[in-house]
Amino acid sequence: MFTFLDFPLYLMETLKRWSSLHGYVMFMFLTTISKGSACEAPSSPECFRKNTDEILYMCEWSMNKTEGSVTFHLYIDNKKYGSTNETWYKIHGDTVIQGRDVNIWVEAYAGSINCTSPRKSVTLVHLVKYDAPQSISMSWLGNNLSLIWKAAEKHPALAEVLFRKHNNTTESWEKKLINTTTEASKYQVILVNLLNHSAYQVQIRHRSTQAKNPLWSKWSPVVTVPAELEHEPEVTVTTKLLNGTRAVMLTWKQILNAAAAVSGVTYRLEDTQSSHGCPCANKTKTHVKTNKSTIYVSYSAVNISVTAINAAGHSPLANIQLPAKPAANLKICDNTEKEKMKKNTCKQWYELQDRELKPENVITLANKKSKGAKQIKASIKDYVRYLYFEHRCDGGKPRTVKMCLYYKKEGAPQREPQNFTVTSETLDSANLSWETIAIEDQRGFVTHYSLCSEKISSQDERKECRNISASLLTYRLENLTPGAKYNISLAGVTKEGEGPSAKLTIYTQPEKPVNVWWSFGLLFVFFLSSTMCTIILKRIKNKIFPPVPTPVIPDFFTYQPESQEMLEEKEEVHELMLSPLHPEVKSVPEDTEETTALHGEWDAGSDEDMGDERSDSRMSGESSDESPGSTDQALRSSREGEITDLEQVDNEIAMLIYRNGLVFDVKTD
Ligand SMILES: *[C@@H]1O[C@H](CO)[C@@H](O)[C@H](O)[C@H]1NC(C)=O
Ligand SMILES: *[C@@H]1O[C@H](CO)[C@@H](O)[C@H](O)[C@H]1NC(C)=O
Ligand SMILES: *[C@@H]1O[C@H](CO)[C@@H](O)[C@H](O)[C@H]1NC(C)=O
Ligand SMILES: *[C@@H]1O[C@H](CO)[C@@H](O)[C@H](O)[C@H]1NC(C)=O
Ligand SMILES: *[C@@H]1O[C@H](CO)[C@@H](O)[C@H](O)[C@H]1NC(C)=O
Ligand SMILES: *[C@@H]1O[C@H](CO)[C@@H](O)[C@H](O)[C@H]1NC(C)=O
Ligand SMILES: *[C@@H]1O[C@H](CO)[C@@H](O)[C@H](O)[C@H]1NC(C)=O
């Protein structure tokens, strides 16, 4: 039923049908007449969507260039879907045509001539063709090469990878079909068992694994994969101090491995100061192509790393650790906390432990973070010594403008000085030595030590304390009482008070017993030395100036002129020789016993060498002062000897004398 308003629509529809029918008839007619004419038919169109979620279909075809402009009409199942001057056309996939088999073709109109592509029966919904892989990144995993590119859809794809060694372009491509993995909108494939110290050329195409009739995407451009950078750059560092700023000059060797540098190498410099957010610091992260660079850092501790980077990844890091550079003579901070945070200022508190800076325990308060300033300040601990740094940005370079030692709050030391010992004690003094209290136990600035001594023996003496410099590690206690016992204590003192004290007891040496023993010793030594001296002197004297007797009968001596004692004896013998004239001679046999003994002594003496006899007498310690006695004895002995046993006497002289005597005696008898 047509209403009045419906009429025009009906008319239009009828007209349309008629014209299409007319067109078809015309087309059939023209194709028949154009056979063998100049029109070259375009290729049959290829229609696909870019991924399985897409509803727009792209239809592409090709046609060898003909003169003049060409217009193409796209037909699906006898329905003209549009006309274009390009070799592609996008259609909206509607439910009618999508799911079923359809015939597709293209008609080309060049002036008065037209030609038609071959027809092709397809089911559009199954046709998926991805875009060529883009932004391919690569990295080496040992000898495996990982290739990553943008995913066409959330489903994994099948990839075809062509690869060959970079330096061998005549070599044919190797081909691998690999199912990709998908992660974070990226496709990844891993080519195993390549050589990571060689460069490669790689090309990839991929296709859907979801669609029934997937089409291969176009090939990606050929990408060059450089060899892996295996070694960190060899960096040499020179640091120059510029009044609060450190200029760190870094130079390193260029990467010489051509395979690794095939697509260029850059170097990345990073420093840890930038992460603190101190002023200027964010400017210090750089990429350079040269083999040297200068980085400006403050006096705060910093780690600088240099990495070589190529398309396939980066080398290991060359890490340069620069410790904090505290001033030589650090002072105690003056009211840093009360100072207001200036613009472009950064404050740092380094925890000090055992005189070491602990960069991991650093509190940084940068200007930008002023919101958290209160929290940061609250994290500074009481009783902990910090090295305080203040940095500014000066001419684009970070500069340390202040360094000092800081306590948020001081307390008394929590430990005593260590290894408190007495090194030597005398009568009235003692040397003490100790080691400092560890910094974390000081809990404040030790202003001095308090050294106290208390004499134990007598109750009336009281505790005596003195303040000694905090820089001392030894002390000599003087004016002590000899032989006394003292309790000594030593404690570190901060402005908040005194800490626990190290204690020890000392005993001074007693005075008197020592003196008596010393006197005894000295006396003994004196006695011994004097005795020795006399003996030695005597010997020397006897040797150099032997006693010279006045020879009475020098003519008798044909030999042994040096035997002086002999001479003396002979003289006496003469006297004796005279004496036998007296009646005493007869009485001799009465004291035979004594005389034999004496004679024996004398005889032995005479048998021996004269020198020996002399030395013997000296050895016995008889002094020359006693000579009268000895001469007496000698006189006597010799006298008796003569009388009793004259024949046995060797001495020629004596013999002569006695023989005369005997002769005389015999004659008298
Ligand atoms: C274009 O011409 C070349 C040879 O000249 C032929 O191989 C090719 O198939 C032609 N392409 C089309 C779409 O007709
Ligand atoms: C390389 O791939 C092979 C085979 O999948 C594997 O056995 C090997 O562990 C891989 N190497 C590395 C370094 O990932
Ligand atoms: C990819 O995965 C599919 C299904 O999981 C499997 O049938 C096919 O053989 C795989 N292809 C390759 C090259 O591994
Ligand atoms: C170093 O810096 C201080 C300010 O922090 C400045 O007073 C001084 O003149 C500077 N010295 C030199 C040599 O630049
Ligand atoms: C520098 O590196 C070492 C070791 O990796 C680390 O212990 C230290 O905290 C780092 N220093 C700075 C200032 O980051
Ligand atoms: C030692 O120093 C303290 C201050 O810590 C002071 O009060 C005291 O008088 C000093 N003692 C001596 C003996 O100087
Ligand atoms: C002296 O020191 C000892 C041990 O250190 C202690 O037992 C003694 O009580 C101390 N004497 C005084 C008077 O402090």
Side-chain angles (χ1 to χ4, degrees):
M1 265 241 254
F2 294 112
T3 60
F4 175 73
L5 281 167
D6 282 333
F7 179 72
L9 272 171
Y10 173 72
L11 192 70
M12 275 173 74
E13 205 59 34
T14 328
L15 275 168
K16 239 185 187 170
R17 280 190 184 167
W18 183 83
S19 66
S20 72
L21 188 74
H22 177 74
Y24 183 64
V25 173
M26 280 297 288
F27 165 70
M28 293 303 284
F29 173 68
L30 280 170
T31 35
T32 351
I33 62 152
S34 70
K35 269 182 185 164
S37 78
C39 180
E40 271 191 61
S43 64
S44 60
E46 191 173 61
C47 292
F48 54 88
R49 41 186 187 157
K50 282 186 174 176
N51 58 55
T52 46
D53 301 327
E54 190 63 71
I55 47 161
L56 274 179
Y57 285 79
M58 165 67 95
C59 292
E60 290 175 334
W61 57 90
S62 64
M63 189 180 130
N64 281 340
K65 190 74 189 158
T66 49
E67 280 165 34
S69 67
V70 184
T71 308
F72 299 100
H73 293 177
L74 178 69
Y75 284 88
I76 299 174
D77 272 357
N78 298 337
K79 189 178 174 193
K80 187 180 157 194
Y81 263 77
S83 64
T84 174
N85 291 329
E86 309 290 339
T87 55
W88 55 267
Y89 192 76
K90 269 186 180 167
I91 56 170
H92 209 275
D94 71 50
T95 47
V96 183
I97 56 160
Q98 219 179 204
R100 60 182 164 92
D101 285 357
V102 289
N103 283 317
I104 300 181
W105 71 92
V106 163
E107 284 175 16
Y109 294 87
S112 57
I113 320 158
N114 80 346
C115 40
T116 307
S117 74
R119 292 177 183 220
K120 198 170 166 184
S121 174
V122 293
T123 313
L124 284 175
V125 77
H126 298 320
L127 295 170
V128 173
K129 182 181 170 183
Y130 295 154
D131 281 338
Q134 283 167 4
S135 37
I136 299 166
S137 63
M138 55 222 123
S139 57
W140 288 101
L141 312 160
N143 278 327
N144 299 348
L145 177 66
S146 154
L147 296 165
I148 295 173
W149 65 95
K150 201 178 144 208
E153 60 182 349
K154 60 180 189 292
H155 305 289
L158 179 69
E160 188 178 5
V161 184
L162 295 181
F163 62 94
R164 65 180 177 194
K165 287 257 182 76
H166 179 266
N167 55 1
N168 200 351
T169 41
T170 53
E171 201 181 301
S172 59
W173 294 93
E174 262 188 77
K175 190 174 95 175
K176 274 221 169 114
L177 276 175
I178 311 165
N179 279 331
T180 69
T181 53
T182 316
E183 205 184 304
S185 321
K186 300 272 185 191
Y187 285 155
Q188 183 186 21
V189 295
I190 291 174
L191 293 175
V192 298
N193 300 329
L194 303 189
L195 295 168
N196 64 357
H197 52 259
S198 299
Y200 285 86
Q201 284 185 317
V202 171
Q203 242 187 324
I204 311 170
R205 63 179 185 174
H206 54 178
R207 73 176 192 201
S208 170
T209 53
Q210 300 295 305
K212 214 173 181 180
N213 291 317
L215 302 168
W216 281 114
S217 74
K218 282 191 180 131
W219 284 103
S220 72
V222 174
V223 292
T224 303
V225 180
E228 188 175 18
L229 288 162
E230 284 171 300
H231 306 290
E232 68 265 31
E234 282 176 47
V235 186
T236 34
V237 188
T238 37
T239 307
K240 217 153 97 185
L241 302 181
L242 308 165
N243 198 20
T245 300
R246 279 188 286 185
V248 185
M249 283 155 283
L250 306 157
T251 50
W252 55 88
K253 285 183 189 163
Q254 290 276 21
I255 299 295
L256 297 173
N257 180 357
V262 65
S263 54
V265 176
T266 58
Y267 299 91
R268 187 178 63 211
L269 280 80
E270 280 177 292
D271 72 85
T272 49
Q273 279 187 358
S274 25
S275 59
H276 291 320
C278 277
C280 308
N282 50 357
K283 288 179 186 169
T284 55
K285 192 171 173 176
T286 42
H287 283 262
V288 292
K289 285 191 170 165
T290 54
N291 69 332
K292 61 182 171 191
S293 184
T294 300
I295 276 186
Y296 293 94
V297 294
S298 69
Y299 280 10
S300 180
V302 63
N303 285 356
I304 300 171
S305 66
V306 182
T307 326
I309 300 170
N310 66 14
H314 58 78
S315 71
L317 295 176
N319 213 354
I320 300 121
Q321 291 186 29
L322 294 180
K325 179 89 188 139
N329 47 348
L330 284 166
K331 294 194 180 85
I332 293 167
C333 293
D334 46 352
N335 296 334
T336 47
E337 212 176 35
K338 283 165 198 163
E339 270 176 39
K340 276 201 173 171
M341 196 77 182
K342 283 175 197 141
K343 240 190 173 182
N344 275 331
T345 303
C346 167
K347 296 179 175 184
Q348 282 190 306
W349 287 265
Y350 276 86
E351 205 169 295
L352 266 172
Q353 279 172 4
D354 273 337
R355 293 162 200 285
E356 293 280 319
L357 291 174
K358 301 274 167 141
E360 57 267 28
N361 296 337
V362 63
I363 294 163
T364 304
L365 181 57
N367 195 33
K368 286 175 195 162
K369 296 177 185 169
S370 52
K371 263 188 185 174
K374 267 192 182 172
Q375 276 183 327
I376 288 166
K377 278 193 174 174
S379 67
I380 301 172
K381 291 175 256 182
D382 287 342
Y383 315 126
V384 170
R385 187 178 295 184
Y386 289 97
L387 179 57
Y388 171 81
F389 281 96
E390 197 172 304
H391 314 293
R392 298 236 175 94
C393 189
D394 191 355
K397 293 166 194 164
R399 193 156 76 83
T400 303
V401 293
K402 198 169 178 179
M403 271 180 273
C404 53
L405 296 170
Y406 176 81
Y407 273 101
K408 188 183 185 183
K409 191 180 173 193
E410 281 189 63
Q414 65 180 9
R415 289 191 74 174
E416 65 279 4
Q418 301 297 295
N419 289 339
F420 186 39
T421 46
V422 55
T423 51
S424 66
E425 289 148 313
T426 66
L427 279 175
D428 63 348
S429 72
N431 283 337
L432 306 168
S433 80
W434 61 90
E435 282 162 21
T436 51
I437 308 167
I439 284 182
E440 52 268 41
D441 293 327
Q442 290 185 13
R443 290 156 62 91
F445 297 110
V446 172
T447 54
H448 59 268
Y449 290 110
S450 172
L451 179 68
C452 297
S453 60
E454 191 176 6
K455 196 171 162 189
I456 304 302
S457 44
S458 71
Q459 281 148 6
D460 50 313
E461 277 188 73
R462 60 194 167 80
K463 203 170 176 181
E464 222 178 87
C465 289
R466 66 198 79 187
N467 290 346
I468 60 174
S469 164
S471 62
L472 288 179
L473 291 175
T474 55
Y475 191 79
R476 186 175 167 84
L477 262 181
E478 279 169 333
N479 299 326
L480 304 176
T481 313
K485 179 184 172 188
Y486 286 89
N487 271 10
I488 312 287
S489 69
L490 181 76
V493 185
T494 67
K495 70 171 190 184
E496 293 300 319
E498 200 174 301
S501 52
K503 290 185 172 68
L504 62 83
T505 308
I506 59 168
Y507 300 90
T508 50
Q509 289 163 355
E511 203 164 29
K512 276 174 187 171
V514 171
N515 283 355
V516 167
W517 280 111
W518 266 109
S519 325
F520 271 125
L522 281 171
L523 266 172
F524 180 73
V525 167
F526 176 75
F527 174 77
L528 210 74
S529 56
S530 62
T531 324
M532 287 301 287
C533 278
T534 24
I535 294 163
I536 290 161
L537 273 171
K538 230 177 172 182
R539 276 189 141 192
I540 291 168
K541 195 187 154 197
N542 283 344
K543 212 155 208 174
I544 300 169
F545 312 107
V548 183
T550 43
V552 178
I553 318 161
D555 301 353
F556 285 127
F557 298 96
T558 50
Y559 61 97
Q560 289 177 334
E562 71 274 14
S563 115
Q564 305 301 329
E565 278 166 294
M566 269 295 298
L567 289 173
E568 279 179 330
E569 283 169 37
K570 281 161 213 159
E571 283 173 57
E572 285 151 19
V573 165
H574 276 286
E575 281 177 280
L576 287 164
M577 194 183 71
L578 292 170
S579 62
L581 298 172
H582 299 282
E584 275 172 41
V585 181
K586 281 172 184 173
S587 67
V588 169
E590 285 165 30
D591 21 348
T592 332
E593 273 185 62
E594 202 193 331
T595 45
T596 40
L598 282 164
H599 154 73
E601 206 183 324
W602 194 85
D603 192 31
S606 61
D607 281 342
E608 284 168 9
D609 190 62
M610 284 308 195
D612 280 356
E613 198 199 331
R614 248 182 281 146
S615 75
D616 283 345
S617 68
R618 270 176 221 129
M619 286 298 282
S620 70
E622 285 174 80
S623 63
S624 48
D625 305 331
E626 297 166 82
S627 57
S630 74
T631 39
D632 258 33
Q633 203 183 12
L635 216 140
R636 233 195 315 150
S637 67
S638 53
R639 185 198 305 160
E640 279 145 6
E642 275 165 40
I643 298 154
T644 50
D645 207 353
L646 284 167
E647 287 98 337
Q648 284 178 22
V649 175
D650 294 350
N651 198 304
E652 210 182 293
I653 310 151
M655 287 262 286
L656 277 167
I657 295 158
Y658 288 119
R659 267 173 201 167
N660 289 342
L662 274 168
V663 168
F664 179 78
D665 267 1
V666 169
K667 277 174 184 175
T668 51
D669 282 341

